[in-house]
Amino acid sequence: MKKILITDDQLEVRELVEVTLRVDDYTIFQASSGEEAVRIAETEKPDLILMDVMMPGGIDGFEATRRIKSNPELKNCHIVILSAKGQQIDRERGRAAGADDYFVKPFSPLELITKVEEIMG
Amino acid sequence: MSSGREKNNITAEILVVEDSQVQAEALKHILEENGYAVSLAYNGMEGVEKLENFSFSLIISDIIMPVMDGYEFCLKVKSDERHRDIPVMLLTELSEPEDIIKGLQCGADNFLTKPYSDENLLNRIKHLMINCRLRKNGSGELAVGIFFRGKNYIINSDKQQILDLLISVFETAIEKNRELIISSESQQTLIEMLTAKNDELARSYAELEEIRNTLEERVRARTADRDKQITRHLMTIETLRLSDDKYRMLTERMTDILWTIDNNLNLTYISPSVEKILGFTPEERMLQTIDDMLTPESSALVQRILKDEFEQEQRGADPDRIIAPELSLYHKNGTVRIFENSIIFIRDREGKPAGFQGMSRDITEHKEMAKLLRDREERFKSILEALNDWVWEVDCNGRYTYSSPRGSSLLGYDPDEIIGKTPFDLMPPDEAVRVGAIFGGIAAEGRPFNGLENSNIRKNGEIIVLETSGSPFFSEKGELLGYRGVDRDITKRKEYEKIIEKSTLREGSLNRISEVFLTVQDESVYKDVLSIILDISGSREGFFGYIDDKGALVVPTLLGEIMKECMVENKTFIFPPDTWGKSIWGRAIREKKTFISNTPLSGLPDNHIKIHNNIVVPVISREKVIGIINLSNCESEYTDETVTLIEDIILFISPIMNARIERDRKETERQQYEDELLKHQLHLEELVTARTGELMNERDRINAIISSVPDGIIVTDMQQSVILMNHSAEELLGICFQSVQNQPISIVIHEETLREKLKHIIDRLKTEYEFDFTLHKDHNGSERTMHGKTSVIIDRDDKKQGTVTILSDVTNIREIDRMKTEFISTAAHELRTPLTSIQGFSEILLTRENLDENEQKKYLSYINRQAVKLAKIVGDLLDIARIESGKGFTISRENCSLEKLFSDVVPYFENLGLKQRFEVRLPGKPVSFFADISLMEQVLKNLLSNAIKYSPGGGIIKISGDEDNGFVKISVEDQGIGMTTEQSSKIFEKFYRADASDSAPEGTGLGMTIVKYIVETHGGKIWIESVYGDGTKVFFTIPLEEFSIC
């Protein structure tokens, strides 16, 4: 069963993503900060990480992405930035940080499922 | 025409050439009166010109004349065949024979010395005319008319003879007349000479009288003596007949010649004195016949006497009678001597005549003396007769005792009628009084007098003006015996003088007026001319004015006593035609004619001066009245002569005056133009000054603006030289403009970006270019973001003049821009976050059918919570938009209770289940204040949200409130992360978030801005006390009472 890590400081968003993805069989982990996301990613080695950007606590989504991607064990981990920031500069910053995809909030749950299924293949 | 005139010689045409106008006129007058036609020329040249046009019968020419003198003129006439036959009479004041010779040399036919009598002149002319005809007829070689002592002689002689004759005649005449002639040049000299002459004459008369008396006395004495002698002789002869020797001796000593002759006139005795007296010895004498002794006349006389005496003897005459013939005897030397004789008969005893005995005395000297005296008397007489002057003598009573013949001709009285009269008897009564008064004074002091003019009445009633000079004569004791003097007829001269005076007055006046017109340029010309005319006409008052463009009479000045008497200001009077009324001058203007009145004017206003007499003469030019001259109050009355003179002068003035008026009119016009021009010019200058002032002000203002503009301004020309920098630019770039003026920017500007951008725009010639660059400031090393905006300066002619660059410090703007961008990004994030939940869960609720009720409820509550959050964010954004747009909030104040405010807000946060604890502190008493309660809640919620947001570690959040000096003071204190000083200072700026990073707490950064606005709108204050890392305390105050912004 594929592992998906949901990273967002907002409870509602984590809940929404999990409910959205519940239609398929995935093992879902949740992290509420960048730091937590990095930690869980290192231990659980998820196949997909849905990463928020703006999170309090010193490590934002881009930094967390950079850290995870800089870990050779986690380089196959697919990271999709799921951010309210949708400007081109944000997308570039995500790519620069090593993110594989960029998904802008608010999103349609159906679209997210489609996207995740496409990634998980 | 000329030949016709010449033949028909009834009125001869005479050319008078004379430079003295007066003399010419006088001569003309005389000639015309005597039926001659006269032409005048004023010098020889003019004379020659006249001759070219007309052939004259006679020429009378003066000698001394300008341009061409009389001699030269005469020579010209005589050397021209056409005119040779015209007789030329030269008039000369000169008296030297040489002058006459000169005159004859130049071919003159006659000459007349000045002064000449009319009669003399006319006679000369007549003879000249006759001579001329004689000459033409060839009847004589030359016929010369000589007028001498009232008789005319025509002499046909050769020139030499004429010359001799003329010279001799003139030598005598001139000698006699020279003094008189010369004296005619000077009245004074003449009078003196005449007086001297008169004295001499008087003396001569006295002398003559004396001599005559002496002679008579001597003759009487001699006769008596001789009678006695003869008696004695006879006795002696009788008694001493015998003593012959003795007798002889006696007779030999005698100075007289004693002689006896017999009846046959043979000499029987002659006394030896004959030899001494007649040169013959008695012996020689005895041999001579009576014819040898006597001149034929005397011999004949003797024959006649003897015959007569014998006849008388027959008739029984006195036998002792003495015969006393005067006989002329020959001297031995051939001369004739005159002898006075006393002859008696020698009788025989019977008493019959036996011969004669006589005594002869040589009286030749006596005779000559007597003749001399007679001649002298005759000469004086002729001088007196020839003199134009009347010589007279009056006794001490003023009665004439002597009057020369001239007196009779002058006065028309016989000499007898004059003698015994006084001069005053011959004068009109008032003249007698006048002259009497003058002469009385002179006579009282026994002074001589000269040139006393007086009018006399001729016997025929005519008035004759005489000029009298006289000298007193005295007895040996010094008593005044009378006056002797001369009178001269100056009637003509007076007339001439009058003519001359008139003509001189006219010419003088015209000259004065001309001078006035030439020298006086302004309107005072009228005053000056008027004053001359007043003077000439003897008028006391008058005015002189001109007619202006509008037809009004303009009188620049009134003259005389008018100003004083009428008490009017002396100014220019203007009388428009409707004010002329019935005035005489008004009529004169309208009727274009002269008005004279010698009677007082009536109907004048009371304050008008009295007009006793008046002349008004219009000045007419080209048939238009251009002015008027009004003269009043002549001393006597206005005569036709005065009117003629004034009209004459006016005639002279009118063209000058017309020209003057025309000139003045043009001058006025020109002046008006000039004034207007000047006005325009002044106006222009004013405008220019005003405009310049405005421009200066404008420039100053622009300069002030430019220098006070906080933006830096740099102006360059097209050669990239700096031509202007304002103060801000100097400050910003650290350059002193004065030191870099007109230097190229490549040297002046060190800031590379700026320099390159400036060069760029000039090179590319773009019209506008904007750029940012970073300025590294030296003093604190801080960087400033600068914005440059460069534009090309394009003048009116679309030509590029240079560039102007405005440098603004956009550090803050850029920061705000950055914050805005960040805000948009943040706001988008903040909006999207709740939207993510709302959209996502609502989609799940809509698409998932297998959701249970709890799940559905949970998702709906998520949606709701996020919607509320969204509303808050949208509310904040709307608030800030309102603040930004200046609309602000609508505040509805009401009484608020501090406790209620806290109790309404704080529990909401407490119920959120947060890490932080809330502590509310209230004073012991209730505090109420006047404010918008919902806005107060918004403020407090905001502050609490921030306190929670920035104290992630939890801790206590203290909420306090109390009354403080009319305000309620509320504070919110957390124990969170705190802020640096910089952060604190920016907390109230829009979009500012203390931590703007992606990992910062969520928020739009608008909260504090909104809070501050609300507090201040209520009249309160808000401030922060914060220590970085050690919590933040926010205070705000709200007035207790309603705060009035006004």
Side-chain angles (χ1 to χ4, degrees):
Chain A
M1 213 160 42
K2 301 267 174 104
K3 291 177 191 171
I4 296 175
L5 173 61
I6 303 164
T7 311
D8 203 303
D9 60 327
Q10 302 247 348
L11 175 69
E12 286 92 339
V13 178
R14 295 200 297 272
E15 281 284 304
L16 177 64
V17 175
E18 194 170 330
V19 171
T20 304
L21 297 177
R22 206 183 284 162
V23 292
D24 290 317
D25 282 338
Y26 299 115
T27 306
I28 294 176
F29 303 94
Q30 286 191 10
S32 63
S33 71
E35 201 182 350
E36 199 181 355
V38 175
R39 190 162 28 86
I40 293 171
E42 280 171 358
T43 52
E44 297 301 329
K45 294 187 177 60
D47 301 289
L48 171 69
I49 301 171
L50 296 170
M51 180 78 83
D52 185 17
V53 174
M54 293 173 78
M55 290 178 294
I59 297 168
D60 65 9
F62 293 135
E63 181 57 28
T65 304
R66 205 173 294 114
R67 291 195 186 177
I68 291 163
K69 282 288 183 183
S70 64
N71 187 343
E73 290 179 33
L74 295 174
K75 73 175 177 193
N76 294 324
C77 174
H78 202 99
I79 298 176
V80 174
I81 301 290
L82 189 62
S83 172
K85 288 187 163 184
Q87 290 172 301
Q88 190 57 35
I89 186 164
D90 298 321
R91 291 172 186 273
E92 279 170 16
R93 280 175 72 190
R95 196 174 299 127
D100 301 292
D101 263 309
Y102 205 98
F103 219 75
V104 180
K105 289 180 187 174
F107 55 88
S108 158
L110 199 61
E111 273 179 52
L112 182 66
I113 292 164
T114 315
K115 185 78 190 176
V116 170
E117 284 177 351
E118 186 191 307
I119 294 164
M120 301 304 254
Chain B
M1 183 179 165
S2 63
S3 60
R5 184 69 75 93
E6 213 171 321
K7 279 171 198 164
N8 184 12
N9 214 357
I10 298 160
T11 54
E13 181 97 13
I14 297 175
L15 174 62
V16 172
V17 186
E18 167 65 83
D19 63 326
S20 156
Q21 197 187 345
V22 175
Q23 291 190 22
E25 288 294 340
L27 193 51
K28 186 178 178 197
H29 178 71
I30 295 161
L31 294 173
E32 282 180 345
E33 269 194 346
N34 286 279
Y36 293 104
V38 177
S39 273
L40 294 180
Y42 294 105
N43 60 53
M45 199 61 97
E46 274 185 37
V48 171
E49 281 165 19
K50 291 249 169 176
L51 277 170
E52 286 303 312
N53 299 321
F54 191 80
S55 179
F56 293 91
S57 316
L58 176 72
I59 296 165
I60 300 176
S61 173
D62 191 14
I63 289 173
I64 297 176
M65 290 182 293
V67 187
M68 185 191 281
D69 69 13
Y71 297 134
E72 198 185 339
F73 169 60
C74 184
L75 200 62
K76 267 229 152 69
V77 172
K78 290 296 175 185
S79 56
D80 188 326
E81 275 189 22
R82 291 175 296 167
H83 310 313
R84 183 172 288 165
D85 292 336
I86 304 171
V88 177
M89 180 192 283
L90 292 178
L91 283 178
T92 176
E93 282 170 298
L94 305 172
S95 50
E96 296 298 329
E98 287 82 355
D99 297 328
I100 295 152
I101 294 167
K102 264 195 201 168
L104 290 167
Q105 275 174 337
C106 73
D109 296 86
N110 208 318
F111 41 82
L112 187 55
T113 48
K114 294 177 181 177
Y116 47 83
S117 75
D118 299 357
E119 219 177 300
N120 197 342
L121 171 77
L122 293 167
N123 272 326
R124 291 279 181 107
I125 291 168
K126 213 153 73 194
H127 290 302
L128 267 177
M129 300 275 198
I130 295 162
N131 286 356
C132 181
R133 276 202 297 277
L134 285 174
R135 225 182 295 174
K136 277 190 185 162
N137 298 339
S139 63
E141 203 191 333
L142 267 176
V144 177
I146 300 295
F147 181 79
F148 185 64
R149 291 224 180 155
K151 282 187 176 176
N152 296 314
Y153 299 94
I154 295 173
I155 298 170
N156 294 310
S157 309
D158 63 14
K159 240 179 186 169
Q160 186 56 48
Q161 273 176 306
I162 290 169
L163 200 60
D164 288 344
L165 177 70
L166 290 179
I167 290 168
S168 64
V169 167
F170 261 83
E171 267 174 344
T172 318
I174 284 162
E175 213 54 52
K176 295 281 178 258
N177 286 311
R178 174 172 284 158
E179 285 158 351
L180 287 172
I181 289 155
I182 291 167
S183 73
S184 74
E185 289 166 6
S186 148
Q187 188 74 7
Q188 190 56 39
T189 321
L190 174 66
I191 297 304
E192 279 167 14
M193 295 313 291
L194 280 170
T195 310
K197 202 105 216 161
N198 176 50
D199 289 348
E200 194 191 314
L201 275 171
R203 274 200 307 279
S204 298
Y205 267 107
E207 207 180 307
L208 193 68
E209 201 64 26
E210 215 178 290
I211 292 166
R212 186 185 281 156
N213 290 339
T214 316
L215 267 176
E216 275 172 9
E217 213 167 283
R218 276 176 67 185
V219 167
R220 264 197 309 278
R222 188 70 62 85
T223 308
D225 203 28
R226 197 173 48 195
D227 287 352
K228 277 183 211 159
Q229 274 183 7
I230 288 167
T231 313
R232 216 169 38 237
H233 277 306
L234 289 173
M235 280 161 54
T236 309
I237 291 164
E238 274 300 309
T239 54
L240 299 179
R241 191 174 288 261
L242 295 174
S243 55
D244 223 325
D245 289 343
K246 210 174 179 181
Y247 173 73
R248 280 175 199 267
M249 281 172 71
L250 186 72
T251 55
E252 274 167 10
R253 281 197 296 272
M254 287 173 75
T255 52
D256 297 342
I257 303 166
L258 290 177
W259 49 267
T260 56
I261 53 171
D262 63 15
N263 283 340
N264 298 319
L265 303 181
N266 294 316
L267 195 64
T268 53
Y269 170 77
I270 185 95
S271 67
S273 57
V274 71
E275 190 176 356
K276 201 170 112 197
I277 294 164
L278 285 171
F280 298 104
T281 62
E283 290 75 25
E284 285 171 334
R285 199 60 169 172
M286 293 302 283
L287 293 175
Q288 289 176 331
T289 67
I290 203 102
D291 288 329
D292 296 331
M293 295 174 200
L294 298 171
T295 61
E297 293 85 359
S298 288
S299 177
L301 180 64
V302 167
Q303 299 289 346
R304 211 165 52 241
I305 287 168
L306 289 181
K307 193 178 161 217
D308 187 44
E309 283 302 322
F310 280 115
E311 278 171 14
Q312 284 194 31
E313 194 70 17
Q314 300 289 313
R315 287 196 296 270
D318 178 9
D320 292 329
R321 65 183 182 275
I322 296 167
I323 307 154
E326 232 179 61
L327 299 171
S328 299
L329 282 80
Y330 292 114
H331 191 275
K332 198 178 179 184
N333 64 10
T335 59
V336 175
R337 309 289 295 180
I338 300 162
F339 284 80
E340 190 182 61
N341 295 280
S342 296
I343 303 166
I344 51 169
F345 281 93
I346 301 169
R347 296 180 189 276
D348 58 17
R349 310 260 167 167
E350 293 166 6
K352 294 219 175 172
F356 298 92
Q357 182 184 37
M359 184 183 71
S360 299
R361 173 170 292 175
D362 187 347
I363 57 160
T364 311
E365 272 76 33
H366 291 165
K367 268 294 202 192
E368 280 173 355
M369 192 173 176
K371 186 174 183 290
L372 193 70
L373 283 169
R374 249 194 336 272
D375 285 354
R376 203 158 160 192
E377 190 177 358
E378 188 68 24
R379 203 174 70 210
F380 286 135
K381 238 180 181 170
S382 70
I383 288 169
L384 289 174
E385 276 169 11
L387 276 175
N388 272 328
D389 297 315
W390 168 31
V391 179
W392 47 261
E393 181 187 276
V394 293
D395 62 16
C396 56
N397 295 316
R399 297 190 186 284
Y400 285 110
T401 51
Y402 172 74
S403 166
S404 73
R406 180 69 177 145
S408 302
S409 67
L410 282 179
L411 293 166
Y413 292 100
D414 290 342
D416 295 350
E417 289 175 300
I418 294 171
I419 303 297
K421 281 201 168 69
T422 70
F424 309 110
D425 296 337
L426 301 168
M427 293 174 188
D430 49 347
E431 179 73 347
V433 171
R434 185 185 73 84
V435 180
I438 298 168
F439 184 67
I442 294 165
E445 294 173 24
R447 282 192 281 118
F449 62 95
N450 276 337
L452 176 62
E453 273 182 32
N454 52 89
S455 297
N456 296 268
I457 307 171
R458 285 170 62 94
K459 197 172 183 181
N460 65 7
E462 287 171 5
I463 294 287
I464 178 167
V465 184
L466 298 175
E467 191 179 65
T468 309
S469 302
S471 301
F473 61 98
F474 302 94
S475 70
E476 285 171 6
K477 292 174 186 170
E479 291 162 337
L480 177 70
L481 292 178
Y483 269 84
R484 293 185 185 119
V486 285
D487 269 34
R488 167 168 286 194
D489 178 6
I490 58 165
T491 312
K492 282 235 171 80
R493 197 182 83 194
K494 276 302 208 190
E495 278 168 23
Y496 295 147
E497 270 175 10
K498 227 170 179 180
I499 294 168
I500 293 160
E501 198 184 322
K502 248 164 68 185
S503 120
T504 311
L505 182 63
R506 179 184 172 274
E507 278 169 29
S509 308
L510 296 186
N511 285 345
R512 281 166 71 193
I513 288 167
S514 305
E515 196 184 330
V516 167
F517 271 109
L518 283 174
T519 54
V520 181
Q521 293 305 316
D522 59 14
E523 281 202 340
S524 61
V525 73
Y526 294 101
K527 194 188 83 186
D528 294 354
V529 170
L530 177 60
S531 119
I532 293 168
I533 295 174
L534 284 176
D535 189 22
I536 296 164
S537 62
S539 304
R540 207 155 68 90
E541 276 101 24
F543 66 81
F544 181 21
Y546 62 89
I547 308 290
D548 71 5
D549 292 351
K550 298 173 191 92
L553 173 64
V554 181
V555 181
T557 182
L558 296 173
L559 268 200
E561 297 297 308
I562 298 176
M563 296 306 154
K564 229 191 299 172
E565 288 186 22
C566 295
M567 310 261 281
V568 292
E569 200 186 332
N570 195 357
K571 57 166 189 182
T572 294
F573 290 87
I574 296 170
F575 302 105
D578 55 0
T579 64
W580 296 355
K582 287 178 178 169
S583 66
I584 296 178
W585 48 267
R587 281 185 65 194
I589 298 172
R590 281 191 292 265
E591 295 175 27
K592 298 185 189 175
K593 45 183 231 207
T594 300
F595 283 83
I596 322 160
S597 161
N598 276 315
T599 52
L601 285 191
S602 57
L604 293 171
D606 289 344
N607 63 342
H608 201 286
I609 58 156
K610 300 287 169 278
I611 305 290
H612 304 298
N613 46 28
N614 200 36
I615 317 184
V616 187
V617 186
V619 185
I620 297 169
S621 174
R622 292 175 193 152
E623 295 176 3
K624 216 179 104 193
V625 176
I626 58 166
I628 192 114
I629 189 150
N630 189 338
L631 306 171
S632 302
N633 296 339
C634 175
E635 284 149 16
S636 48
E637 58 175 31
Y638 291 110
T639 60
D640 289 348
E641 275 177 26
T642 312
V643 175
T644 311
L645 178 63
I646 300 302
E647 282 181 336
D648 194 18
I649 289 169
I650 294 296
L651 205 63
F652 172 77
I653 289 174
S654 67
I656 311 173
M657 183 171 158
N658 192 42
R660 173 61 73 101
I661 290 170
E662 191 66 13
R663 190 206 69 179
D664 285 351
R665 199 176 59 71
K666 282 181 181 158
E667 179 67 17
T668 311
E669 249 172 49
R670 195 182 62 82
Q671 193 62 46
Q672 277 172 358
Y673 285 134
E674 258 180 29
D675 285 352
E676 234 164 84
L677 208 64
L678 194 67
K679 233 160 69 189
H680 278 299
Q681 197 183 326
L682 285 176
H683 180 62
L684 274 178
E685 274 171 19
E686 271 170 30
L687 283 180
V688 167
T689 309
R691 198 78 192 94
T692 309
E694 273 172 35
L695 285 173
M696 297 276 273
N697 287 343
E698 195 69 15
R699 197 195 61 187
D700 289 351
R701 210 152 62 88
I702 289 168
N703 279 348
I705 290 167
I706 288 174
S707 66
S708 59
V709 164
D711 293 340
I713 295 172
I714 302 168
V715 181
T716 72
D717 59 16
M718 291 305 285
Q719 282 71 47
Q720 304 191 358
S721 293
V722 176
I723 56 172
L724 181 76
M725 276 175 89
N726 73 346
H727 181 68
S728 299
E730 288 179 306
E731 288 252 300
L732 283 170
L733 300 176
I735 294 167
C736 172
F737 170 61
Q738 296 290 344
S739 58
V740 301
Q741 192 167 2
N742 294 326
Q743 289 184 21
I745 47 169
S746 54
I747 294 170
V748 176
I749 298 175
H750 307 293
E751 190 60 44
E752 197 183 333
T753 319
L754 177 61
R755 186 173 63 229
E756 292 311 313
K757 297 285 183 189
L758 288 176
K759 281 169 83 174
H760 181 75
I761 186 167
I762 294 166
D763 290 345
R764 299 282 180 89
L765 292 177
K766 284 173 77 172
T767 50
E768 205 173 281
Y769 196 76
E770 288 186 56
F771 54 92
D772 274 13
F773 63 97
T774 307
L775 207 57
H776 303 279
K777 284 208 163 180
D778 295 332
H779 53 277
N780 60 6
S782 72
E783 279 184 5
R784 305 297 292 174
T785 306
M786 300 302 297
H787 177 78
K789 181 170 178 181
T790 298
S791 308
V792 172
I793 301 168
I794 293 167
D795 67 10
R796 286 182 192 184
D797 303 328
D798 271 349
K799 272 175 75 181
K800 296 187 173 80
Q801 294 293 331
T803 66
V804 56
T805 303
I806 298 168
L807 303 177
S808 337
D809 184 345
V810 290
T811 312
N812 289 339
I813 294 168
R814 290 289 174 267
E815 178 63 14
I816 289 167
D817 282 350
R818 189 190 59 75
M819 289 196 291
K820 245 180 193 164
T821 313
E822 217 172 81
F823 163 74
I824 292 162
S825 165
T826 309
H829 179 259
E830 294 299 316
L831 287 169
R832 279 172 180 163
T833 305
L835 275 174
T836 307
S837 298
I838 292 163
Q839 189 186 346
F841 284 114
S842 58
E843 193 183 308
I844 286 173
L845 282 169
L846 288 170
T847 54
R848 304 277 172 91
E849 288 165 2
N850 55 345
L851 293 175
D852 61 24
E853 201 174 320
N854 286 340
E855 278 174 329
Q856 284 180 8
K857 228 176 189 166
K858 196 168 89 185
Y859 298 159
L860 282 171
S861 78
Y862 287 155
I863 292 170
N864 181 51
R865 208 164 74 190
Q866 293 302 325
V868 169
K869 211 171 169 180
L870 191 62
K872 160 85 170 77
I873 293 164
V874 169
D876 276 1
L877 287 172
L878 286 174
D879 283 349
I880 207 78
R882 267 207 295 274
I883 292 166
E884 283 282 278
S885 69
K887 282 179 192 159
F889 295 95
T890 311
I891 297 173
S892 45
R893 286 189 173 82
E894 55 187 298
N895 253 324
C896 299
S897 159
L898 186 62
E899 293 82 359
K900 188 167 187 303
L901 175 65
F902 284 180
S903 61
D904 282 352
V905 175
V906 180
Y908 168 78
F909 288 94
E910 285 172 333
N911 295 337
L912 287 177
L914 302 165
K915 289 186 232 174
Q916 296 85 355
R917 272 194 310 114
F918 297 90
E919 238 180 66
V920 174
R921 284 186 194 171
L922 284 164
K925 53 168 186 172
V927 175
S928 69
F929 56 98
F930 207 67
D932 188 313
I933 189 99
S934 62
L935 291 178
M936 287 303 109
E937 284 178 9
Q938 189 180 341
V939 170
L940 193 56
K941 280 178 183 169
N942 234 306
L943 297 184
L944 286 170
S945 301
N946 279 343
I948 293 162
K949 209 189 298 177
Y950 291 103
S951 48
I956 299 163
I957 293 172
K958 289 178 190 165
I959 305 122
S960 313
D962 203 352
E963 208 182 299
D964 179 29
N965 204 18
F967 288 84
V968 59
K969 184 173 159 189
I970 296 164
S971 64
V972 175
E973 184 181 0
D974 66 54
Q975 295 171 328
I977 54 174
M979 286 183 286
T980 61
T981 317
E982 199 197 339
Q983 286 170 327
S984 298
S985 67
K986 291 182 174 176
I987 193 77
F988 297 113
E989 287 182 12
K990 275 176 284 184
F991 311 116
Y992 183 78
R993 292 193 305 159
D995 183 356
S997 69
D998 284 346
S999 62
E1002 61 185 21
T1004 57
L1006 293 172
M1008 287 307 279
T1009 308
I1010 296 163
V1011 164
K1012 185 171 188 261
Y1013 184 82
I1014 292 169
V1015 169
E1016 288 177 352
T1017 306
H1018 276 84
K1021 282 182 179 169
I1022 185 163
W1023 68 96
I1024 284 166
E1025 290 172 7
S1026 178
V1027 179
Y1028 184 66
D1030 199 19
T1032 299
K1033 193 171 182 180
V1034 182
F1035 300 88
F1036 72 94
T1037 61
I1038 298 292
L1040 295 177
E1041 301 302 324
E1042 182 175 5
F1043 170 75
S1044 168
I1045 295 170
C1046 302

